[in-house]
């Protein structure tokens, strides 16, 4: 699975980017927030990637931040929300506003997003309310570095095929003791821990 791409913007469209990585062009679907932060063709870009595999198709979804990727992955876990609708949601509302709206059960705000009806908004609130980072949803504040690193690690390990419950167990002790360690070092320690499990 592809979890990260770093290369040059080859082509830029509102819902997709073509990223040139060492001569190979990756077609990556993106929300508008990522599109706006991407530079013009020829500039360097780094994206967090969700690889979506179906029987007949492999699609890449790219995000400028770990928070966007985390919200995308939580959205597609809701019944009735596929990757296209999840991208539409992220294009229609700021990530932090989305978390706050879900936490407050603000159906009016959620149904204002193109493509989201009342039933879908209700499902989002019911299924995601308890899965929002508490600090972010309550205050609109940025998640702590520990929360951000944990979310990035979970995403990377899920892309490597590990199950969420196993990941959570091994990360509980690693992230708390991570301190100022780099992401790569904690990921390596997590992989070592998971190989023992």
């Amino acid at each position: 699975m592809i979890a990260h791409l770093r290369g040059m913007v080859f082509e830029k469209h509102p819902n997709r980017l073509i990223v040139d990585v060492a001569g190979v062009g990756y077609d990556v679907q993106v929300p508008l927030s990522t599109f706006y932060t991407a530079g013009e063709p020829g500039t360097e870009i780094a994206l967090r990637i969700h690889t979506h595999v179906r029987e007949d198709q492999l699609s890449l979804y790219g995000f400028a931040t770990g928070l966007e990727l985390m919200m995308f992955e939580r959205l597609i876990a809701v019944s009735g929300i596929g990757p296209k609708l999840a991208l539409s949601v992220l294009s229609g509302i700021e990530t932090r506003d989305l978390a706050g709206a879900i936490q407050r059960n603000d159906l009016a705000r959620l149904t204002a997003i193109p493509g989201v009806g009342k039933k879908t908004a209700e499902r989002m609130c019911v299924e995601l309310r308890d899965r929002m980072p508490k600090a972010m949803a309550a205050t609109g504040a940025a998640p702590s570095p520990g929360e951000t690193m944990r979310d990035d690690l979970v995403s990377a390990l899920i892309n490597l095929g590990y199950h969420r419950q196993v990941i959570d167990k091994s990360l509980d002790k690693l992230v708390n003791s991570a301190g100022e360690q780099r992401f790569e070092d904690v990921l390596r320690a997590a992989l070592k821990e998971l190989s023992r499990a």
Side-chain angles (χ1 to χ4, degrees):
M1 297 290 182
I2 297 169
H4 183 267
L5 283 179
R6 181 186 298 277
M8 305 291 267
V9 177
F10 183 74
E11 267 182 40
K12 185 178 176 185
H13 307 279
N15 60 347
R16 60 191 273 262
L17 301 172
I18 296 179
V19 181
D20 183 323
V21 181
V24 177
Y26 291 88
D27 190 341
V28 184
Q29 296 179 63
V30 296
L32 285 175
S33 50
T34 297
F35 168 78
Y36 290 129
T37 60
E40 292 306 308
T43 57
E44 188 172 322
I45 190 169
L47 294 173
R48 293 163 190 277
I49 300 290
H50 173 85
T51 305
H52 193 75
V53 182
R54 289 202 325 235
E55 287 177 17
D56 58 339
Q57 191 177 354
L58 186 143
S59 302
L60 302 180
Y61 295 88
F63 306 91
T65 67
L67 186 58
E68 282 182 336
L69 173 61
M70 177 196 72
M71 288 299 286
F72 175 83
E73 290 179 338
R74 291 188 182 178
L75 283 168
I76 62 174
V78 174
S79 55
I81 298 184
K84 284 195 170 44
L85 180 53
L87 270 194
S88 177
V89 169
L90 292 175
S91 292
I93 186 172
E94 281 286 319
T95 314
R96 294 180 198 292
D97 293 342
L98 174 61
I102 289 169
Q103 197 72 22
R104 293 187 310 272
N105 206 36
D106 187 347
L107 298 181
R109 179 68 185 97
L110 294 171
T111 53
I113 302 166
V116 177
K118 189 166 185 264
K119 282 200 166 94
T120 303
E122 287 169 349
R123 274 200 308 271
M124 285 165 64
C125 291
V126 169
E127 295 185 34
L128 295 180
R129 188 178 301 121
D130 297 332
R131 301 187 63 210
M132 293 294 104
K134 297 285 184 275
M136 183 184 86
T139 65
S144 70
E147 280 179 328
T148 303
M149 180 183 281
R150 185 189 178 92
D151 290 336
D152 290 349
L153 288 164
V154 167
S155 172
L157 293 167
I158 285 173
N159 277 331
L160 289 171
Y162 291 98
H163 291 289
R164 180 66 193 244
Q165 293 87 343
V166 181
I167 293 170
D168 284 338
K169 274 185 200 166
S170 66
L171 289 185
D172 282 340
K173 49 186 169 187
L174 287 173
V175 174
N176 293 337
S177 64
E180 296 296 309
Q181 286 188 51
R182 295 180 318 146
F183 171 82
E184 294 81 5
D185 297 332
V186 183
L187 178 60
R188 201 171 291 122
L191 288 168
K192 192 181 282 187
E193 184 75 25
L194 287 164
S195 68
R196 290 194 203 117

